[in-house]
Amino acid sequence: MTDKGRKRQIIKRHLFSKKRLIILNEDTFAEVFSLRLTLMNVFVVATLGAVLIIFVTTYIIAFTPLREFIPGYASNKLRKDATELALKSDSLANALKKNQAYLQSVVKVLNGDLQYAKVNKDSILATKTDAPSIESAGPTKAELELRAQIDKEEQAAKKALQKKKVKKRK
């Protein structure tokens, strides 16, 4: 037999040879507990125990309020509060825009740029303060230039990388 085959047989013999675990009373040397084990049984039980502990820990963290103590997890109350605050801030921003438009028109009237009859608070508030349309949201000239510059840099980097690969092959 080869060396590897002998080693495997020795390991197999050690794994499956039966041993006895005995717990004795130290004072009387009376046997309290006795158990016949193999090394393979011990490995299997230890592995199953580890898997069970991992599963229980994961379950406790995932489905109980303990998950709130882990960074990155937020409570449902916190999420709800954040959503409400975001909606309030949006409505306050819209109200601020309307007030600024009204005040600007009042300043124009005070400076004499507009006639008082043309300034109506309701007409100012009725004007659209929505986001610009999709057509007007196209890229600007500066953005197009930046994109072209980045494309050139990426192409130059690819060429340099290809040259390095060619040099390594040689």
Side-chain angles (χ1 to χ4, degrees):
M1 270 184 133
T2 64
D3 241 3
K4 287 184 181 181
R6 288 182 188 159
K7 287 182 182 179
R8 285 184 185 168
Q9 281 185 348
I10 292 171
I11 292 172
K12 187 176 177 181
R13 195 176 325 132
H14 283 294
L15 283 175
F16 292 105
S17 64
K18 296 191 178 189
K19 312 253 189 309
R20 183 174 296 271
L21 174 67
I22 301 173
I23 299 176
L24 299 173
N25 185 348
E26 192 172 308
D27 296 333
T28 62
F29 292 109
E31 185 177 313
V32 176
F33 181 73
S34 175
L35 187 63
R36 287 181 58 154
L37 296 172
T38 64
L39 196 55
M40 182 59 89
N41 290 346
V42 173
F43 284 141
V44 170
V45 170
T47 304
L48 289 175
V51 168
L52 182 67
I53 288 173
I54 291 170
F55 176 74
V56 168
T57 305
T58 304
Y59 181 80
I60 288 172
I61 290 173
F63 298 109
T64 62
L66 281 177
R67 70 173 171 241
E68 294 174 13
F69 294 107
I70 297 174
Y73 284 102
S75 67
N76 291 335
K77 183 181 181 293
L78 183 63
R79 288 182 194 154
K80 183 180 175 184
D81 290 345
T83 305
E84 288 176 7
L85 288 175
L87 292 174
K88 284 182 183 179
S89 66
D90 287 343
S91 63
L92 287 174
N94 288 336
L96 180 66
K97 285 180 186 177
K98 289 178 182 179
N99 285 338
Q100 285 176 345
Y102 177 71
L103 289 175
Q104 286 175 356
S105 63
V106 169
V107 167
K108 287 181 182 179
V109 168
L110 291 175
N111 289 335
D113 295 341
L114 290 178
Q115 297 175 3
Y116 179 72
K118 291 183 179 179
V119 177
N120 184 0
K121 181 178 180 181
D122 294 329
S123 65
I124 292 172
L125 295 178
T127 59
K128 290 186 178 180
T129 58
D130 295 337
S133 65
I134 295 175
E135 294 88 25
S136 65
T140 63
K141 185 177 180 181
E143 289 178 41
L144 293 174
E145 291 173 359
L146 179 63
R147 289 179 187 176
Q149 180 184 357
I150 290 173
D151 287 339
K152 288 178 184 177
E153 289 175 1
E154 286 179 355
Q155 289 175 358
K158 285 181 184 178
K159 288 180 182 178
L161 184 63
Q162 288 175 352
K163 287 180 181 179
K164 285 183 181 179
K165 286 182 181 178
V166 169
K167 287 181 180 179
K168 286 184 180 179
R169 289 182 189 166
K170 291 180 180 180

